[in-house]
Amino acid sequence: MAELQIVIPLYPDVTHLDFTGPHQVLCRLPNSKVTVASMGGQDITADGLTFANLADLSKVEHCDLLCVPGGFGTTDAMLDEAFMAEIRRLGTGAKYLTSVCTGSLILAAAGFLRGKRSACHWAWRELLLPFGAIVDESRVARDGNIITGGGVTAGLDFAFVMVAELAGEDFAKTLQLSLEYAPAPPFQSGRPELASPEILATVRAFLDRGKQARSEAAQKAADRLEPAL
């Protein structure tokens, strides 16, 4: 059996947990290879951490599973024609198209989510609509070969769903135990419907500072969209 090729494309200002969480899980899959790549193999800085020795995205020949992380850099990445061309190229030949957080906006901007259900970070879900996507508020959403995780930490849940798909539920459970993935958050404030009105208002005010730019970028990307599938 051929080795399963998993590709995680990075871009400036990506959120590192969006890909390091899934990477930690997916790299344990048997008979698989996870390649983390960027344009030109450039180093990527994410929230103060620098990721180096990356593959050149344009030189990655193909993948079976494309996993696109999100982050504040999504705004610029959606309009980066060279980067988006590589996402379309790799995604068109992939068996699975996946994302975490606002990575789904990049899949949408590539033309993969028209008429498809997709998850996204709660603050940015509505930006999927101009691309013809169907917003799904689930922590992990599936529509055929498209599997998307919601906000940042949903990447771990997504990864275990993916492992169960590829290697079976028993293996996924074994891996879950080996990594002691047993989340028990100290506060019930991880979703807008759980947070207090005061906390929700504070977070919305912070995120709203970049809302106009991201909304404009999403609309611009949607206006020039040519469906990839």
Side-chain angles (χ1 to χ4, degrees):
M1 182 181 296
E3 187 177 56
L4 182 78
Q5 299 296 315
I6 301 171
V7 173
I8 302 176
L10 303 189
Y11 49 88
D13 293 322
V14 69
T15 295
H16 59 69
L17 188 56
D18 278 10
F19 73 89
T20 54
H23 184 283
Q24 181 66 76
V25 177
L26 296 174
C27 73
R28 304 284 180 97
L29 273 168
N31 195 34
S32 65
K33 177 183 178 182
V34 182
T35 299
V36 183
S38 63
M39 294 298 291
Q42 65 177 311
D43 293 354
I44 295 293
T45 298
D47 293 320
L49 298 180
T50 298
F51 295 86
N53 299 317
L54 304 176
D56 184 344
L57 189 62
S58 67
K59 294 181 180 178
V60 177
E61 294 185 1
H62 74 280
C63 67
D64 301 297
L65 191 162
L66 181 66
C67 180
V68 184
F72 288 113
T74 301
T75 303
D76 292 330
M78 285 188 291
L79 299 179
D80 184 332
E81 293 185 4
F83 176 77
M84 291 304 301
E86 300 303 333
I87 297 298
R88 292 188 185 94
R89 177 181 65 83
L90 290 168
T92 297
K95 183 176 181 180
Y96 295 99
L97 294 169
T98 73
S99 65
V100 178
C101 197
T102 55
S104 58
L105 295 177
I106 292 175
L107 286 183
F112 294 120
L113 298 187
R114 191 184 301 276
K116 302 293 186 179
R117 291 186 297 107
S118 177
C120 189
H121 187 285
W122 62 266
W124 311 107
R125 291 171 185 155
E126 73 276 9
L127 297 187
L128 288 167
L129 298 176
F131 299 102
I134 302 168
V135 175
D136 191 318
E137 297 184 5
S138 302
R139 189 159 170 84
V140 180
R142 178 166 192 171
D143 194 327
N145 71 327
I146 297 171
I147 304 176
T148 51
V152 182
T153 60
L156 283 167
D157 292 8
F158 147 76
F160 282 107
V161 169
M162 201 70 250
V163 168
E165 169 77 13
L166 296 168
E169 188 172 308
D170 284 348
F171 182 82
K173 290 178 177 178
T174 300
L175 183 54
Q176 180 181 4
L177 178 58
S178 71
L179 294 174
E180 197 174 352
Y181 179 54
F187 313 109
Q188 292 301 313
S189 189
R191 289 178 65 95
E193 63 269 23
L194 298 176
S196 69
E198 296 79 13
I199 294 297
L200 180 57
T202 298
V203 175
R204 282 194 182 279
F206 170 74
L207 294 177
D208 280 351
R209 291 184 290 179
K211 187 171 185 178
Q212 182 176 349
R214 178 167 287 181
S215 297
E216 291 174 352
Q219 188 59 59
K220 185 175 181 180
D223 288 343
R224 70 185 189 186
L225 179 63
E226 294 181 6
L229 294 180

